[in-house]
Amino acid sequence: MATRIQAGERAKGDKGFWGYVWQGGVNEDLTCSGLEWQLSDGGGRIIEDDKTISVNNPNVIRAWQRAARWVGSISPPGVTAYGLWDAQNVWGSGNAAFLRGWQADYSVITHGWPFKGSESLKNRGNVAEIGVTSVPGGPSGRADTLGGNGLAISRSSAHPRESLELVRYLLRKDVDLMHANERSGPPQAVEFYELPTMLDPYPQAAKSGQGGGVLAARPSVIAGDKYEEVSRAYIRAVRSVLTREKIASVAAAELEKELIRITGFRPGPPSKLN
């Protein structure tokens, strides 16, 4: 779809139009995207619950190779340096068909995103100019990385009770919506279970096993205080493939050794991809 739309827009004269923008820079967004790529291809979760490393296997290598082919074809060459706002700005200025975004992006886009002409979609009164869907999946299905922002109270706060009331106040709409959703009945049509999380009004689907995708958490719990080091190593390895500094099989093998050194965990099944 990205290839076809990009070709059509360029044929009409927009030579700087791209099919797909995403976050390929040195940031946590790439850890999340990389996890989704490899998990949807059956490559594992970077670090499994049994403390094995899942990065040096054919499915991970294939997923990284596919992403590398996007760079310069349907995605700008500079996407390997993009952070969250870089990708959003390219898409928001009308220069890309698809944006790999996050749940929080939807409210930003619809309540004040500066599109061409410095008008937000809200001001135009035409939110239908955009659409939201789930990230496509590979042979093992869709994979969505668990993300979000948290609210916390400092242990050294002089006003913990007041702070707690503030947190409750800030979360009241989320809690009300969650309770309302849990009381509503799920539909019979299967396609409704494929809605992206941000639009999915049927949380009962996940409980019943009818959900359309796999929700994955980054390996922060299993890695503990080593997670930041794990994530940085993962980002470096993935970017080395995206920028064509290393071939995927070499990057995966080196990353496996580095993660073993960082965590002390054991390797998963070896790679057999030539």
Side-chain angles (χ1 to χ4, degrees):
M1 292 169 66
T3 300
R4 183 171 182 176
I5 295 171
Q6 177 178 299
E9 293 297 315
R10 291 188 178 188
K12 291 189 292 186
D14 192 349
K15 303 301 182 183
F17 189 90
W18 294 94
Y20 180 41
V21 290
W22 38 283
Q23 302 84 24
V26 183
N27 55 70
E28 191 71 4
D29 295 288
L30 185 56
T31 300
C32 297
S33 293
L35 174 57
E36 291 174 354
W37 298 339
Q38 69 174 67
L39 187 57
S40 69
D41 262 57
R45 300 173 181 251
I46 305 176
I47 301 176
E48 306 298 335
D49 291 340
D50 63 358
K51 297 186 178 182
T52 57
I53 308 296
S54 296
V55 293
N56 187 21
N57 64 70
N59 297 330
V60 171
I61 292 168
R62 181 171 57 247
W64 290 0
Q65 288 171 331
R66 181 179 60 245
R69 290 194 295 270
W70 298 337
V71 181
S73 58
I74 60 172
S75 302
V79 75
T80 56
Y82 282 8
L84 180 64
W85 288 104
D86 301 308
Q88 288 178 344
N89 286 336
V90 172
W91 180 79
S93 61
N95 291 316
F98 297 103
L99 164 71
R100 192 267 184 254
W102 299 93
Q103 182 169 341
D105 296 342
Y106 188 71
S107 59
V108 173
I109 292 166
T110 56
H111 290 82
W113 186 268
F115 275 71
K116 285 183 176 179
S118 298
E119 291 182 294
S120 72
L121 289 176
K122 181 181 180 182
N123 292 336
R124 290 184 183 186
N126 190 8
V127 177
E129 290 189 27
I130 68 166
V132 179
T133 189
S134 300
V135 175
S140 295
R142 272 196 302 107
D144 304 306
T145 302
L146 181 65
N149 299 311
L151 296 172
I153 300 171
S154 172
R155 185 174 297 176
S156 61
S157 173
H159 304 282
R161 183 172 299 178
E162 292 82 357
S163 300
L164 179 59
E165 289 304 313
L166 174 61
V167 170
R168 287 173 174 164
Y169 172 78
L170 294 173
L171 294 178
R172 71 194 188 286
K173 289 185 178 179
D174 293 335
V175 173
D176 290 343
L177 180 60
M178 181 176 64
H179 288 166
N181 288 347
E182 288 179 346
R183 289 192 295 268
S184 63
Q188 298 301 314
V190 175
E191 59 267 23
F192 282 102
Y193 295 106
E194 291 290 342
L195 288 170
T197 303
M198 63 188 294
L199 298 181
D200 188 357
Y202 306 106
Q204 304 94 327
K207 299 175 184 177
S208 64
Q210 292 177 278
V214 176
L215 184 63
R218 289 162 288 176
S220 54
V221 174
I222 193 72
D225 60 3
K226 301 289 186 181
Y227 174 70
E228 184 174 356
E229 198 174 351
V230 166
S231 182
R232 290 182 182 277
Y234 186 80
I235 291 167
R236 287 194 300 269
V238 175
R239 286 195 74 253
S240 72
V241 178
L242 299 177
T243 57
R244 295 176 172 80
E245 296 173 26
K246 295 178 183 177
I247 62 173
S249 57
V250 171
E254 292 178 353
L255 175 61
E256 181 182 60
K257 292 179 181 178
E258 187 170 6
L259 295 185
I260 291 171
R261 178 190 62 78
I262 294 170
T263 64
F265 299 158
R266 63 186 187 278
S271 171
K272 297 180 181 178
L273 186 68
N274 295 320

